[in-house]
Amino acid sequence: MSAAPPNVGSADPRLLGRAVKRIAYGAPEIAWRVDELGAEITAAYPDGELLVLGLLKGSFVFLADLVRQIRRPLQVDFLVASSYGVGTSSSGEVNLVYDPETILEKKHILLVEDIVDSGRTLSRLVDVLQLRGPKSIEICALLHKHIATELRYPTRFIGFDAPNEFLVGYGLDHAEDFRHLPYVASLA
Ligand code: IMP
Ligand code: MG
């Protein structure tokens, strides 16, 4: 039933009658890459406690698939950050709307993000999380636009080097729509 390739354009009933320009990454390609990332992450953490921290909402689909490809013990929690001033000022202040209760101390933290754009959100978050004494903090992003001028930390695990276009699907939204697309599409 779900074997048919996704339709690009208004023919896909998920698209609210709107057209997407093109599919940037199809579901099979994403599944294949997430599988590889899971293997990379498994190999990168031979020991210690691992806490996978998903940045909501955008990471929820990616995180759900990713953790099932990591073959070692781990725990999962989430963060909700809200940024102020984005697009209107360069203050780059990030507020934690939901702060995980899980203890970070002495654990490996893997911060999972949907897409790295300016890198502002992640830089501030890593600063905040560093204060809690984790053993390590690494970033895993499904997509990276490589235009991040404000990212002060390297993204250790990257799914795809994304084009500088507005992308939706597989967790990524435009005004809260399109998160449920099983593929990543470029918005027309
Ligand atoms: P940054 O702090 O500028 O790196 O912003 C990252 C956040 O902006 C991501 O977590 C997304 O929620 C959002 N974002 C950036 N680029 C896109 C895009 O192409 N599509 C959808 N959301 C995006
Ligand atoms: Mg978003």
Side-chain angles (χ1 to χ4, degrees), residues 14 17 27 45 54 66 73 93 99 104 126 130 148 151 165 178:
R14 287 171 285 228
Y45 295 99
L66 182 67
E93 197 180 318
D99 194 336
L104 272 54
V126 174
Q130 288 282 17
L151 188 57
E165 298 169 20
F178 309 116

Side-chain angles (χ1 to χ4, degrees), residues 58 114 171-173 176 179:
D114 54 356
L172 289 95
D173 74 305
E176 297 301 327
R179 291 195 197 275

Side-chain angles (χ1 to χ4, degrees), residues 33-113:
R33 185 66 190 122
V34 170
D35 204 352
E36 276 194 337
L37 275 177
E40 278 178 46
I41 291 165
T42 305
Y45 295 99
D47 45 44
E49 288 181 80
L50 176 61
L51 175 65
V52 179
L53 264 185
L55 193 47
L56 290 177
K57 302 174 194 172
S59 74
F60 83 106
V61 179
F62 175 43
L63 181 134
D65 285 345
L66 182 67
V67 290
R68 284 178 286 178
Q69 301 303 331
I70 300 175
R71 292 174 169 80
R72 55 107 63 219
L74 61 78
Q75 295 183 344
V76 175
D77 209 333
F78 295 95
L79 282 171
V80 181
S82 81
S83 313
Y84 295 101
V86 174
T88 54
S89 99
S90 57
S91 69
E93 197 180 318
V94 171
N95 187 40
L96 283 184
V97 176
Y98 171 73
D99 194 336
E101 284 163 21
T102 313
I103 291 169
L104 272 54
E105 205 177 342
K106 299 195 174 89
K107 289 178 186 165
H108 293 297
I109 308 300
L110 183 62
L111 203 49
V112 177
E113 170 71 306

Side-chain angles (χ1 to χ4, degrees), residues 125-134 137:
L125 270 181
V126 174
D127 287 344
V128 168
L129 298 177
Q130 288 282 17
L131 299 173
R132 302 183 188 182
I137 301 185

Side-chain angles (χ1 to χ4, degrees), residues 55-59 83 86 94 112-123 143 145 147-151 162-169 171-175 177 179 184-187:
L55 193 47
L56 290 177
K57 302 174 194 172
S59 74
S83 313
V86 174
V94 171
V112 177
E113 170 71 306
D114 54 356
I115 185 164
V116 178
D117 189 351
S118 75
R120 187 181 298 140
T121 315
L122 275 175
S123 290
L143 301 158
K145 288 188 179 171
I147 52 167
T149 50
E150 304 199 28
L151 188 57
N164 190 13
E165 298 169 20
F166 198 83
L167 301 169
V168 295
L172 289 95
D173 74 305
H174 175 257
D177 291 322
R179 291 195 197 275
V184 172
S186 177
L187 208 58

